[in-house]
Amino acid sequence: MNAKLTLRSLMTAAITLSLSTALAHADDFVVSATSQTSDDYALAVAWSNAIAKQSDDNRLTVVDNGSVNGLRQLAAGRLDIAVIGAPHYLDAVNKRGNFSEDPDRLTEAYADLKSLFAISTSAGQYVVREDSGIESFADLEGHSLAIGRPGGNAGRVSSAFLEAYDLKPGENVDTQYIDYTDAFNQMSNGRLDGTFVWGGLPQAAIDNASRTMKLRFISPDDAHMEAFREHITAGEHYRLKAVSQEDITEAYEKRVASGETNNFWSFPYMFVVSGDMDDDTAYDLTKTLWENLDAIKQTSAALNLLRLDEATTGLTADLHPGAARYFREIGLIE
């Protein structure tokens, strides 16, 4: 009896060891997104589903850690893919900002990370009451504009855009540090002319507000980007996304007016990995996402602004060789 039990125990241990070894070698990658409501999280989930349908070799598990903590965990080897803003990655490798007190071992690890691609699906947008008489960014002089919550980056960026137009925040334009949720309430009461909004297309707060008052998009233009970059740090990593009048008309069902071309500002959010990830894996992961772009965009309205031609622009971390191979194959890079 004891011999049988011993044999059974040995067999169980062998099976357990075999399963553990298989699991240890399975390509189950953990990707850390910003939050469960962020567009990069929605993308990661859709990406995971596309991989599961297409391949038996790779799997993605999506978690949310925030971008700063996610990057730290990637550098520490606790996960496989993280999301970080292009300007913020520079802070990490240069031990600045939120990363200024990180230990040297993490700072050194940040420098070894590589990017798979970048997205800029959310963006900064400006809307005004249509009865305000404001039809362009230059028309903001003498009017009021909510530029984001106190201490946020949006206020800094919005002020730099105003200065690019020779409009002094707080003097030529009544700039107010108000979150856009409260700003729309003040706009509906006639106490505010316009507001900054962050999001995709359609954006929920704009959509809701457009059902109770007439709105119009206004935006800075390319001609003022050089001046804008002179008024903000890391300005070279900000860019304008052109959104057509047709897209806006469709997104808001003709409830929000706009010009023929509207510019939203953004910066790339990079999906970064360890430089040690093998080339074939980086290639397969990247290819699966972008070859399923249409299906992935259909999974969430937050992904409407996802563009393949932006996947390699504005990167502050070098492209992983495997990802670069895919983008060369499709002619996106040389």
Side-chain angles (χ1 to χ4, degrees), residues 92-121:
V93 296
N94 290 296
K95 211 175 178 69
R96 299 183 310 214
N98 289 324
F99 303 93
S100 61
E101 298 183 4
D102 282 8
D104 289 342
R105 59 181 175 79
L106 286 183
T107 305
E108 292 170 2
Y110 296 145
D112 292 330
L113 300 180
K114 304 294 183 185
S115 59
L116 294 181
F117 53 82
I119 65 169
S120 53
T121 49

PDB file of all heavy atoms in Angstrom, residues 92-121:
ATOM      1  N   ALA A  92      12.075  59.574 -17.388  1.00  0.00           N
ATOM      2  CA  ALA A  92      12.539  58.358 -16.716  1.00  0.00           C
ATOM      3  C   ALA A  92      14.030  58.124 -16.946  1.00  0.00           C
ATOM      4  O   ALA A  92      14.786  57.865 -16.003  1.00  0.00           O
ATOM      5  CB  ALA A  92      11.731  57.152 -17.197  1.00  0.00           C
ATOM      6  N   VAL A  93      14.475  58.210 -18.202  1.00  0.00           N
ATOM      7  CA  VAL A  93      15.882  57.908 -18.490  1.00  0.00           C
ATOM      8  C   VAL A  93      16.813  59.020 -18.003  1.00  0.00           C
ATOM      9  O   VAL A  93      18.004  58.785 -17.785  1.00  0.00           O
ATOM     10  CB  VAL A  93      16.105  57.644 -20.000  1.00  0.00           C
ATOM     11  CG1 VAL A  93      15.343  56.417 -20.445  1.00  0.00           C
ATOM     12  CG2 VAL A  93      15.727  58.860 -20.837  1.00  0.00           C
ATOM     13  N   ASN A  94      16.242  60.223 -17.812  1.00  0.00           N
ATOM     14  CA  ASN A  94      17.055  61.343 -17.327  1.00  0.00           C
ATOM     15  C   ASN A  94      16.834  61.644 -15.849  1.00  0.00           C
ATOM     16  O   ASN A  94      17.305  62.663 -15.345  1.00  0.00           O
ATOM     17  CB  ASN A  94      16.769  62.594 -18.159  1.00  0.00           C
ATOM     18  CG  ASN A  94      17.304  62.481 -19.568  1.00  0.00           C
ATOM     19  OD1 ASN A  94      18.516  62.392 -19.767  1.00  0.00           O
ATOM     20  ND2 ASN A  94      16.420  62.463 -20.554  1.00  0.00           N
ATOM     21  N   LYS A  95      16.084  60.731 -15.165  1.00  0.00           N
ATOM     22  CA  LYS A  95      15.869  60.845 -13.718  1.00  0.00           C
ATOM     23  C   LYS A  95      15.244  62.198 -13.356  1.00  0.00           C
ATOM     24  O   LYS A  95      15.740  62.932 -12.502  1.00  0.00           O
ATOM     25  CB  LYS A  95      17.194  60.636 -12.970  1.00  0.00           C
ATOM     26  CG  LYS A  95      17.076  60.017 -11.586  1.00  0.00           C
ATOM     27  CD  LYS A  95      18.454  59.759 -11.002  1.00  0.00           C
ATOM     28  CE  LYS A  95      18.369  59.196  -9.602  1.00  0.00           C
ATOM     29  NZ  LYS A  95      17.835  57.808  -9.570  1.00  0.00           N
ATOM     30  N   ARG A  96      14.145  62.528 -14.055  1.00  0.00           N
ATOM     31  CA  ARG A  96      13.465  63.798 -13.838  1.00  0.00           C
ATOM     32  C   ARG A  96      12.004  63.551 -13.485  1.00  0.00           C
ATOM     33  O   ARG A  96      11.477  62.445 -13.626  1.00  0.00           O
ATOM     34  CB  ARG A  96      13.514  64.665 -15.105  1.00  0.00           C
ATOM     35  CG  ARG A  96      14.899  65.045 -15.579  1.00  0.00           C
ATOM     36  CD  ARG A  96      14.829  65.965 -16.788  1.00  0.00           C
ATOM     37  NE  ARG A  96      13.966  65.472 -17.843  1.00  0.00           N
ATOM     38  CZ  ARG A  96      14.188  65.661 -19.138  1.00  0.00           C
ATOM     39  NH1 ARG A  96      15.248  66.342 -19.532  1.00  0.00           N
ATOM     40  NH2 ARG A  96      13.355  65.190 -20.041  1.00  0.00           N
ATOM     41  N   GLY A  97      11.318  64.621 -13.079  1.00  0.00           N
ATOM     42  CA  GLY A  97       9.877  64.556 -12.842  1.00  0.00           C
ATOM     43  C   GLY A  97       9.487  63.458 -11.882  1.00  0.00           C
ATOM     44  O   GLY A  97      10.072  63.326 -10.792  1.00  0.00           O
ATOM     45  N   ASN A  98       8.495  62.660 -12.260  1.00  0.00           N
ATOM     46  CA  ASN A  98       8.011  61.588 -11.405  1.00  0.00           C
ATOM     47  C   ASN A  98       9.048  60.499 -11.146  1.00  0.00           C
ATOM     48  O   ASN A  98       8.856  59.659 -10.267  1.00  0.00           O
ATOM     49  CB  ASN A  98       6.766  60.938 -12.028  1.00  0.00           C
ATOM     50  CG  ASN A  98       5.554  61.836 -11.972  1.00  0.00           C
ATOM     51  OD1 ASN A  98       5.370  62.574 -11.014  1.00  0.00           O
ATOM     52  ND2 ASN A  98       4.735  61.790 -13.009  1.00  0.00           N
ATOM     53  N   PHE A  99      10.133  60.506 -11.924  1.00  0.00           N
ATOM     54  CA  PHE A  99      11.148  59.462 -11.798  1.00  0.00           C
ATOM     55  C   PHE A  99      12.425  59.971 -11.136  1.00  0.00           C
ATOM     56  O   PHE A  99      13.432  59.272 -11.110  1.00  0.00           O
ATOM     57  CB  PHE A  99      11.478  58.901 -13.190  1.00  0.00           C
ATOM     58  CG  PHE A  99      10.288  58.354 -13.919  1.00  0.00           C
ATOM     59  CD1 PHE A  99       9.555  59.154 -14.800  1.00  0.00           C
ATOM     60  CD2 PHE A  99       9.875  57.045 -13.733  1.00  0.00           C
ATOM     61  CE1 PHE A  99       8.449  58.650 -15.480  1.00  0.00           C
ATOM     62  CE2 PHE A  99       8.773  56.533 -14.396  1.00  0.00           C
ATOM     63  CZ  PHE A  99       8.060  57.334 -15.269  1.00  0.00           C
ATOM     64  N   SER A 100      12.383  61.185 -10.589  1.00  0.00           N
ATOM     65  CA  SER A 100      13.598  61.815 -10.074  1.00  0.00           C
ATOM     66  C   SER A 100      14.191  61.089  -8.873  1.00  0.00           C
ATOM     67  O   SER A 100      15.394  61.188  -8.612  1.00  0.00           O
ATOM     68  CB  SER A 100      13.323  63.282  -9.712  1.00  0.00           C
ATOM     69  OG  SER A 100      12.325  63.363  -8.704  1.00  0.00           O
ATOM     70  N   GLU A 101      13.375  60.369  -8.122  1.00  0.00           N
ATOM     71  CA  GLU A 101      13.869  59.682  -6.929  1.00  0.00           C
ATOM     72  C   GLU A 101      13.968  58.172  -7.115  1.00  0.00           C
ATOM     73  O   GLU A 101      14.173  57.436  -6.163  1.00  0.00           O
ATOM     74  CB  GLU A 101      12.968  60.005  -5.731  1.00  0.00           C
ATOM     75  CG  GLU A 101      12.961  61.486  -5.383  1.00  0.00           C
ATOM     76  CD  GLU A 101      12.124  61.796  -4.154  1.00  0.00           C
ATOM     77  OE1 GLU A 101      11.611  60.837  -3.525  1.00  0.00           O
ATOM     78  OE2 GLU A 101      11.983  62.979  -3.822  1.00  0.00           O
ATOM     79  N   ASP A 102      13.843  57.699  -8.344  1.00  0.00           N
ATOM     80  CA  ASP A 102      13.961  56.264  -8.600  1.00  0.00           C
ATOM     81  C   ASP A 102      15.402  55.802  -8.371  1.00  0.00           C
ATOM     82  O   ASP A 102      16.350  56.557  -8.628  1.00  0.00           O
ATOM     83  CB  ASP A 102      13.564  55.936 -10.040  1.00  0.00           C
ATOM     84  CG  ASP A 102      12.057  55.924 -10.226  1.00  0.00           C
ATOM     85  OD1 ASP A 102      11.341  56.321  -9.279  1.00  0.00           O
ATOM     86  OD2 ASP A 102      11.584  55.537 -11.307  1.00  0.00           O
ATOM     87  N   PRO A 103      15.580  54.575  -7.892  1.00  0.00           N
ATOM     88  CA  PRO A 103      16.951  54.070  -7.707  1.00  0.00           C
ATOM     89  C   PRO A 103      17.685  53.953  -9.040  1.00  0.00           C
ATOM     90  O   PRO A 103      17.065  53.779 -10.096  1.00  0.00           O
ATOM     91  CB  PRO A 103      16.732  52.692  -7.066  1.00  0.00           C
ATOM     92  CG  PRO A 103      15.328  52.315  -7.407  1.00  0.00           C
ATOM     93  CD  PRO A 103      14.567  53.593  -7.501  1.00  0.00           C
ATOM     94  N   ASP A 104      18.990  54.024  -8.977  1.00  0.00           N
ATOM     95  CA  ASP A 104      19.805  54.005 -10.194  1.00  0.00           C
ATOM     96  C   ASP A 104      19.585  52.731 -11.012  1.00  0.00           C
ATOM     97  O   ASP A 104      19.647  52.769 -12.248  1.00  0.00           O
ATOM     98  CB  ASP A 104      21.288  54.134  -9.835  1.00  0.00           C
ATOM     99  CG  ASP A 104      21.644  55.529  -9.331  1.00  0.00           C
ATOM    100  OD1 ASP A 104      20.856  56.461  -9.584  1.00  0.00           O
ATOM    101  OD2 ASP A 104      22.698  55.672  -8.680  1.00  0.00           O
ATOM    102  N   ARG A 105      19.320  51.603 -10.345  1.00  0.00           N
ATOM    103  CA  ARG A 105      19.133  50.349 -11.087  1.00  0.00           C
ATOM    104  C   ARG A 105      17.928  50.443 -12.020  1.00  0.00           C
ATOM    105  O   ARG A 105      17.933  49.878 -13.115  1.00  0.00           O
ATOM    106  CB  ARG A 105      18.981  49.168 -10.121  1.00  0.00           C
ATOM    107  CG  ARG A 105      17.808  49.291  -9.153  1.00  0.00           C
ATOM    108  CD  ARG A 105      17.709  48.110  -8.198  1.00  0.00           C
ATOM    109  NE  ARG A 105      16.664  48.322  -7.219  1.00  0.00           N
ATOM    110  CZ  ARG A 105      15.375  48.158  -7.439  1.00  0.00           C
ATOM    111  NH1 ARG A 105      14.977  47.752  -8.644  1.00  0.00           N
ATOM    112  NH2 ARG A 105      14.490  48.373  -6.494  1.00  0.00           N
ATOM    113  N   LEU A 106      16.872  51.160 -11.592  1.00  0.00           N
ATOM    114  CA  LEU A 106      15.717  51.338 -12.465  1.00  0.00           C
ATOM    115  C   LEU A 106      16.033  52.318 -13.591  1.00  0.00           C
ATOM    116  O   LEU A 106      15.657  52.096 -14.746  1.00  0.00           O
ATOM    117  CB  LEU A 106      14.509  51.827 -11.665  1.00  0.00           C
ATOM    118  CG  LEU A 106      13.815  50.805 -10.767  1.00  0.00           C
ATOM    119  CD1 LEU A 106      12.594  51.439 -10.106  1.00  0.00           C
ATOM    120  CD2 LEU A 106      13.401  49.570 -11.551  1.00  0.00           C
ATOM    121  N   THR A 107      16.707  53.409 -13.256  1.00  0.00           N
ATOM    122  CA  THR A 107      17.069  54.396 -14.284  1.00  0.00           C
ATOM    123  C   THR A 107      17.903  53.750 -15.381  1.00  0.00           C
ATOM    124  O   THR A 107      17.709  54.011 -16.571  1.00  0.00           O
ATOM    125  CB  THR A 107      17.840  55.566 -13.650  1.00  0.00           C
ATOM    126  OG1 THR A 107      17.069  56.129 -12.580  1.00  0.00           O
ATOM    127  CG2 THR A 107      18.122  56.648 -14.674  1.00  0.00           C
ATOM    128  N   GLU A 108      18.835  52.896 -14.984  1.00  0.00           N
ATOM    129  CA  GLU A 108      19.664  52.193 -15.965  1.00  0.00           C
ATOM    130  C   GLU A 108      18.818  51.233 -16.802  1.00  0.00           C
ATOM    131  O   GLU A 108      19.034  51.091 -18.008  1.00  0.00           O
ATOM    132  CB  GLU A 108      20.774  51.433 -15.245  1.00  0.00           C
ATOM    133  CG  GLU A 108      21.808  52.349 -14.594  1.00  0.00           C
ATOM    134  CD  GLU A 108      22.772  51.598 -13.692  1.00  0.00           C
ATOM    135  OE1 GLU A 108      22.655  50.353 -13.607  1.00  0.00           O
ATOM    136  OE2 GLU A 108      23.629  52.252 -13.069  1.00  0.00           O
ATOM    137  N   ALA A 109      17.836  50.588 -16.150  1.00  0.00           N
ATOM    138  CA  ALA A 109      16.972  49.647 -16.871  1.00  0.00           C
ATOM    139  C   ALA A 109      16.077  50.368 -17.865  1.00  0.00           C
ATOM    140  O   ALA A 109      15.789  49.841 -18.950  1.00  0.00           O
ATOM    141  CB  ALA A 109      16.128  48.840 -15.887  1.00  0.00           C
ATOM    142  N   TYR A 110      15.625  51.574 -17.524  1.00  0.00           N
ATOM    143  CA  TYR A 110      14.776  52.338 -18.455  1.00  0.00           C
ATOM    144  C   TYR A 110      15.493  52.549 -19.790  1.00  0.00           C
ATOM    145  O   TYR A 110      14.881  52.479 -20.860  1.00  0.00           O
ATOM    146  CB  TYR A 110      14.426  53.703 -17.869  1.00  0.00           C
ATOM    147  CG  TYR A 110      13.599  53.679 -16.600  1.00  0.00           C
ATOM    148  CD1 TYR A 110      13.795  54.636 -15.602  1.00  0.00           C
ATOM    149  CD2 TYR A 110      12.622  52.709 -16.396  1.00  0.00           C
ATOM    150  CE1 TYR A 110      13.042  54.633 -14.442  1.00  0.00           C
ATOM    151  CE2 TYR A 110      11.870  52.699 -15.222  1.00  0.00           C
ATOM    152  CZ  TYR A 110      12.088  53.665 -14.244  1.00  0.00           C
ATOM    153  OH  TYR A 110      11.345  53.656 -13.098  1.00  0.00           O
ATOM    154  N   ALA A 111      16.781  52.829 -19.719  1.00  0.00           N
ATOM    155  CA  ALA A 111      17.538  53.128 -20.940  1.00  0.00           C
ATOM    156  C   ALA A 111      17.633  51.933 -21.881  1.00  0.00           C
ATOM    157  O   ALA A 111      17.895  52.107 -23.071  1.00  0.00           O
ATOM    158  CB  ALA A 111      18.938  53.615 -20.568  1.00  0.00           C
ATOM    159  N   ASP A 112      17.409  50.727 -21.351  1.00  0.00           N
ATOM    160  CA  ASP A 112      17.502  49.517 -22.176  1.00  0.00           C
ATOM    161  C   ASP A 112      16.168  49.105 -22.795  1.00  0.00           C
ATOM    162  O   ASP A 112      16.104  48.117 -23.530  1.00  0.00           O
ATOM    163  CB  ASP A 112      18.048  48.355 -21.338  1.00  0.00           C
ATOM    164  CG  ASP A 112      19.500  48.568 -20.941  1.00  0.00           C
ATOM    165  OD1 ASP A 112      20.221  49.223 -21.710  1.00  0.00           O
ATOM    166  OD2 ASP A 112      19.908  48.074 -19.867  1.00  0.00           O
ATOM    167  N   LEU A 113      15.102  49.833 -22.500  1.00  0.00           N
ATOM    168  CA  LEU A 113      13.795  49.475 -23.038  1.00  0.00           C
ATOM    169  C   LEU A 113      13.685  49.860 -24.512  1.00  0.00           C
ATOM    170  O   LEU A 113      14.345  50.782 -24.975  1.00  0.00           O
ATOM    171  CB  LEU A 113      12.689  50.165 -22.227  1.00  0.00           C
ATOM    172  CG  LEU A 113      12.634  49.832 -20.735  1.00  0.00           C
ATOM    173  CD1 LEU A 113      11.499  50.590 -20.060  1.00  0.00           C
ATOM    174  CD2 LEU A 113      12.478  48.331 -20.505  1.00  0.00           C
ATOM    175  N   LYS A 114      12.821  49.139 -25.217  1.00  0.00           N
ATOM    176  CA  LYS A 114      12.579  49.404 -26.628  1.00  0.00           C
ATOM    177  C   LYS A 114      11.080  49.559 -26.859  1.00  0.00           C
ATOM    178  O   LYS A 114      10.264  49.018 -26.117  1.00  0.00           O
ATOM    179  CB  LYS A 114      13.102  48.251 -27.500  1.00  0.00           C
ATOM    180  CG  LYS A 114      14.570  47.910 -27.304  1.00  0.00           C
ATOM    181  CD  LYS A 114      15.486  49.036 -27.748  1.00  0.00           C
ATOM    182  CE  LYS A 114      16.951  48.638 -27.601  1.00  0.00           C
ATOM    183  NZ  LYS A 114      17.854  49.781 -27.918  1.00  0.00           N
ATOM    184  N   SER A 115      10.727  50.281 -27.893  1.00  0.00           N
ATOM    185  CA  SER A 115       9.312  50.484 -28.203  1.00  0.00           C
ATOM    186  C   SER A 115       8.854  49.528 -29.301  1.00  0.00           C
ATOM    187  O   SER A 115       9.610  49.223 -30.219  1.00  0.00           O
ATOM    188  CB  SER A 115       9.058  51.929 -28.634  1.00  0.00           C
ATOM    189  OG  SER A 115       9.826  52.255 -29.774  1.00  0.00           O
ATOM    190  N   LEU A 116       7.610  49.071 -29.182  1.00  0.00           N
ATOM    191  CA  LEU A 116       6.991  48.288 -30.251  1.00  0.00           C
ATOM    192  C   LEU A 116       6.287  49.210 -31.241  1.00  0.00           C
ATOM    193  O   LEU A 116       6.334  48.998 -32.442  1.00  0.00           O
ATOM    194  CB  LEU A 116       5.988  47.286 -29.683  1.00  0.00           C
ATOM    195  CG  LEU A 116       6.542  46.165 -28.809  1.00  0.00           C
ATOM    196  CD1 LEU A 116       5.396  45.252 -28.359  1.00  0.00           C
ATOM    197  CD2 LEU A 116       7.601  45.354 -29.552  1.00  0.00           C
ATOM    198  N   PHE A 117       5.624  50.233 -30.710  1.00  0.00           N
ATOM    199  CA  PHE A 117       4.896  51.199 -31.538  1.00  0.00           C
ATOM    200  C   PHE A 117       4.347  52.282 -30.621  1.00  0.00           C
ATOM    201  O   PHE A 117       4.459  52.193 -29.389  1.00  0.00           O
ATOM    202  CB  PHE A 117       3.730  50.525 -32.296  1.00  0.00           C
ATOM    203  CG  PHE A 117       2.797  49.751 -31.410  1.00  0.00           C
ATOM    204  CD1 PHE A 117       1.782  50.376 -30.699  1.00  0.00           C
ATOM    205  CD2 PHE A 117       2.940  48.373 -31.280  1.00  0.00           C
ATOM    206  CE1 PHE A 117       0.930  49.663 -29.874  1.00  0.00           C
ATOM    207  CE2 PHE A 117       2.093  47.644 -30.460  1.00  0.00           C
ATOM    208  CZ  PHE A 117       1.087  48.296 -29.753  1.00  0.00           C
ATOM    209  N   ALA A 118       3.766  53.296 -31.213  1.00  0.00           N
ATOM    210  CA  ALA A 118       3.142  54.382 -30.461  1.00  0.00           C
ATOM    211  C   ALA A 118       1.708  54.577 -30.925  1.00  0.00           C
ATOM    212  O   ALA A 118       1.362  54.246 -32.064  1.00  0.00           O
ATOM    213  CB  ALA A 118       3.923  55.684 -30.645  1.00  0.00           C
ATOM    214  N   ILE A 119       0.880  55.082 -30.027  1.00  0.00           N
ATOM    215  CA  ILE A 119      -0.492  55.454 -30.383  1.00  0.00           C
ATOM    216  C   ILE A 119      -0.753  56.867 -29.871  1.00  0.00           C
ATOM    217  O   ILE A 119      -0.090  57.339 -28.953  1.00  0.00           O
ATOM    218  CB  ILE A 119      -1.538  54.483 -29.791  1.00  0.00           C
ATOM    219  CG1 ILE A 119      -1.537  54.555 -28.245  1.00  0.00           C
ATOM    220  CG2 ILE A 119      -1.287  53.059 -30.260  1.00  0.00           C
ATOM    221  CD1 ILE A 119      -2.692  53.833 -27.589  1.00  0.00           C
ATOM    222  N   SER A 120      -1.708  57.535 -30.473  1.00  0.00           N
ATOM    223  CA  SER A 120      -2.161  58.834 -29.947  1.00  0.00           C
ATOM    224  C   SER A 120      -3.664  58.903 -30.187  1.00  0.00           C
ATOM    225  O   SER A 120      -4.144  59.709 -30.983  1.00  0.00           O
ATOM    226  CB  SER A 120      -1.428  60.000 -30.611  1.00  0.00           C
ATOM    227  OG  SER A 120      -1.512  59.922 -32.011  1.00  0.00           O
ATOM    228  N   THR A 121      -4.378  58.018 -29.516  1.00  0.00           N
ATOM    229  CA  THR A 121      -5.814  57.890 -29.739  1.00  0.00           C
ATOM    230  C   THR A 121      -6.625  58.921 -28.964  1.00  0.00           C
ATOM    231  O   THR A 121      -7.737  59.261 -29.360  1.00  0.00           O
ATOM    232  CB  THR A 121      -6.292  56.479 -29.360  1.00  0.00           C
ATOM    233  OG1 THR A 121      -5.779  56.151 -28.067  1.00  0.00           O
ATOM    234  CG2 THR A 121      -5.768  55.457 -30.346  1.00  0.00           C
TER     235      THR A 121
END
